[in-house]
Amino acid sequence: MSESKKVVVITGAAGFLGSHLCDRFIKEGYKVIGIDNLITGDLKNIEHLFKLEDFEFYNHDISLFINIPGRVDYILNFASPASPIDYLKIPIQTLKVGSLGVHNCLGLAKAKNARILVASTSEVYGDPEVHPQKETYWGHVNPVGPRGVYDEAKRFQEAITMAYHTFHGLEVRIARIFNTYGPRMRLNDGRVIPAFMGQALRGEDLTIFGDGTQTRSFCFVDDLIEGLYRLLLSDYTGPVNIGNPQEISLNEFAEEILKLTGKNVKVSYKPLPVDDPKQRQPDITLAREVLGWEPKVERAEGLQKTYEYFQTLSQEELYKEVR
Ligand code: NAD
């Protein structure tokens, strides 16, 4: 490895977003150190990187002390269960990684004089009373509701990250990420795109909960990674929304997936669960202004790439139960 290469530490490296970040930073010529305890991630997502001289991997729980020898220029903290299916199953680990884990990452950043970007979420807005959400909206979260373990961990993360900036002068970046989709998503993570694609691939009807008029907005992963990359290298310290504001109803989604997959299956309707989230929609004016960023990938292209990925899964993976 050349000594002049910048070193980036990526936590949650074996996860959906973390693995794409690893790819991007390797492509940009950085040395990448990935950390993951594999609680929701999969080494399969990064196995293609193991042969590279500029990639190193630590199987480690970041809620425990982190020590990385040598130079570190940037840290991207992406370790955390991210889908409701995961964080409702492992609530304490979710709170720990969002508090102790973040604290350890900030400590590492301070020790190395590195800049840190933390992965926050649209969930900090909770069940919002304003649409779309701007960064200036403070949110509407129930701390003791089932989603509180994730939402409050992420809110704490933002607070402690800003405190390190204010009190220690640490260079920080906060990305408020909205729903993202793409290759390496888990088929059974409870989100509508993998759910529909998994059903189509298994030859099952696509299930819509409710009447399907509710809307969702999803950002393709390549767009998101570009936004994160620009944010890290920008000089903007406050939180920035990164997501795709374009909304689509579940009925339209189902139709697009049926057309894309060409499967002879139907759409079936089931009652709406009580905790079904009302849609959040990002206001990305700030990202446009300070990062010159907005999503570029058309949904047809993003869905096609995602479907191609799911088509490569084995029969066993296709039928694997939700963890
Ligand atoms: P993911 O579950 O695919 O990846 C998270 C990774 O973190 C996994 O590989 C997991 O094993 C690892 N991890 C969890 N706890 C850890 C710990 N204590 N120590 C080390 N590694 C640990 O989820 P994702 O979708 O890639 O999300 C990554 C980050 O982005 C999360 O912080 C999430 O909150 C945030 N985010 C994601 C989305 C989205 O749409 N995917 C939206 C908003 C925010």
Side-chain angles (χ1 to χ4, degrees), residues 11-19 35-42 45 60-64 77-83 86 90 93 96-97 101 119-123 150 154 157 175-181 184-186 189 191 218 224:
T11 75
F16 166 44
L17 299 183
S19 63
I35 307 181
D36 204 297
N37 68 350
L38 306 177
I39 194 165
T40 60
D42 195 330
N45 292 334
H60 181 72
D61 180 346
I62 66 153
S63 300
L64 307 170
N77 183 32
F78 278 68
S80 169
S83 89
D86 290 328
I90 45 173
Q93 287 95 326
K96 282 175 77 173
V97 75
S120 188
T121 166
S122 56
E123 299 275 347
Y150 182 70
K154 292 291 184 179
Q157 170 177 254
R176 288 192 183 149
I177 301 168
F178 285 65
N179 281 340
T180 304
Y181 74 100
R184 303 186 194 149
M185 258 186 128
R186 290 213 321 270
D189 82 349
R191 296 204 174 96
F218 287 99
L224 183 90

Side-chain angles (χ1 to χ4, degrees), residues 1-2 5-9 25-26 29-33 53-56 71:
M1 191 206 40
S2 128
K5 282 206 170 190
K6 290 207 166 167
V7 179
V8 55
V9 170
F25 280 89
I26 287 286
Y30 289 75
K31 176 177 162 66
V32 173
I33 300 176
E53 198 191 327
D54 283 332
F55 184 74
E56 231 178 279
R71 167 179 178 175

Side-chain angles (χ1 to χ4, degrees), residues 32 43 158 165 274:
V32 173
L43 281 183
E158 290 198 10
H165 172 66
V274 266

